[in-house]
Amino acid sequence: RRDAVQLARSENQERIHRMVFEAVYEPVMGILVRAASSGRIQGGAFDRMSQTFIMGALGLRPSYSLHPSDTVGAAGWWVERFLRGMAP
C-alpha cells in the first residue's frame, strides 16, 4: 500500500516515465536511427516506430500471447516482421 501511494505522486510518476524512456525507448530508437542511416530500413517517425515495436513486443508476452510457451519464437517472428515492414 505504501508503495502504491508513493508511486501515485506526480514526481515519482515522472521519474518512472523518464527511467522507462531512457532504458527502453531511447535504445530502440537509437537502433532504428542507425539502421535507417545505413539504409537497412526506411527513415521517418522514429518515435512512432519505437513505440510500435515496443507495444508489439509487449503484446507477445506470455500473459497476452495465444502461444505463451514460445516466447523466443514469438520475439524472433515480431522482429523479422517489423524490420521487413520497415525495409526501404
Side-chain angles (χ1 to χ4, degrees):
R1 172 153 165 75
R2 191 182 88 212
D3 290 341
V5 171
Q6 287 181 337
L7 289 175
R9 295 190 350 224
S10 64
E11 63 269 10
N12 288 334
Q13 289 176 354
E14 290 173 20
R15 191 169 81 201
I16 290 168
H17 184 265
R18 186 181 68 248
M19 291 171 71
V20 168
F21 186 82
E22 291 172 357
V24 179
Y25 282 90
E26 283 185 345
V28 169
M29 198 176 304
I31 291 167
L32 294 172
V33 168
R34 286 191 301 276
S37 68
S38 70
R40 291 180 291 186
I41 66 170
Q42 55 187 313
F46 295 110
D47 55 342
R48 289 185 182 176
M49 289 168 58
S50 298
Q51 185 173 5
T52 300
F53 179 80
I54 292 166
M55 293 299 120
L58 288 173
L60 295 172
R61 291 186 340 204
S63 55
Y64 299 114
S65 178
L66 296 175
H67 307 284
S69 62
D70 186 22
T71 56
V72 173
W77 177 88
W78 174 239
V79 169
E80 183 180 323
R81 295 303 178 280
F82 183 85
L83 292 176
R84 193 176 293 163
M86 295 296 125

